[in-house]
Amino acid sequence: MAWPGFSSRIATMDGDNLLRSVVTDEGPQGDNTIVGPKGAINLAPTQALAGSELHPFMIIGNMEGWCKFTNSHLIRRKNEIDYQNVAYKLNYDSKTSIFRYIDGIPPMTLEQVKKENPALIFVNSPASIRKCTWCPNRVSAAWVASAGPAGLCRIEFLGRGSTWT
């Protein structure tokens, strides 16, 4: 569970590994909580989920080594193509005992995400991402750090456009 700082939404992963946002303020019908649409899909169990106090993005790490991010306030229209942003993936080759980060993965459609075949879904993978966090400083809020049981820590800049410093 994570809370993007400036919003009244709490992000949580449900039992089907779908990222859901729960609105905690009063809804249009006077409801106190409203469960929003899915924001991301993870086929492998989610190990880490973090929000920032400075922007609406969430970072997600799972047991397969995926580090994905999504805008927690983005609600897609019915005819829009759903996609999942990928920061990187950590792979582990058990034959050579080598870890490798895979960069430059384009946004994946949800159909591509559903085709993933998580082989280590219930196994403690050395390539899993156990902790993710956004930088709390205003000028560097687009930096994310992630780590796992392999002892590797990665710091990545996820900002886009010319307005990031």
Side-chain angles (χ1 to χ4, degrees):
M1 183 179 293
W3 198 317
F6 61 86
S7 109
S8 61
R9 297 173 183 226
I10 297 174
T12 183
M13 296 302 282
D14 66 11
D16 295 325
N17 281 324
L18 300 174
L19 178 70
R20 300 276 186 183
S21 62
V22 179
V23 180
T24 58
D25 58 357
E26 193 166 315
Q29 288 84 25
D31 302 331
N32 286 335
T33 57
I34 301 169
V35 177
K38 64 181 178 272
I41 294 176
N42 266 329
L43 293 185
T46 299
Q47 298 273 307
L49 179 64
S52 172
E53 295 182 13
L54 303 170
H55 53 72
F57 287 92
M58 304 294 300
I59 191 84
I60 306 155
N62 71 16
M63 284 187 77
E64 279 283 298
W66 288 98
C67 195
K68 301 177 181 183
F69 64 100
T70 188
N71 185 336
S72 64
H73 284 222
L74 184 65
I75 298 174
R76 301 198 194 286
R77 293 178 187 90
K78 261 190 174 175
N79 295 332
E80 279 186 308
I81 296 173
D82 287 336
Y83 63 91
Q84 177 68 64
N85 291 309
V86 178
Y88 49 85
K89 184 176 188 320
L90 177 60
N91 272 353
Y92 175 67
D93 186 350
S94 59
K95 294 176 185 169
T96 60
S97 297
I98 293 177
F99 290 91
R100 171 187 263 162
Y101 282 104
I102 301 173
D103 296 317
I105 302 171
M108 301 169 67
T109 65
L110 293 185
E111 280 68 36
Q112 289 172 319
V113 172
K114 289 176 185 177
K115 290 179 184 175
E116 289 175 25
N117 187 12
L120 304 171
I121 196 161
F122 295 112
V123 179
N124 190 9
S125 169
S128 67
I129 304 292
R130 294 271 178 94
K131 185 72 175 170
C132 294
T133 187
W134 291 98
C135 181
N137 300 328
R138 185 174 303 277
V139 294
S140 54
W143 288 88
V144 67
S146 66
L152 300 173
C153 178
R154 176 157 179 167
I155 306 203
E156 178 83 9
F157 181 72
L158 296 180
R160 304 285 190 265
S162 60
T163 58
W164 290 97
T165 58

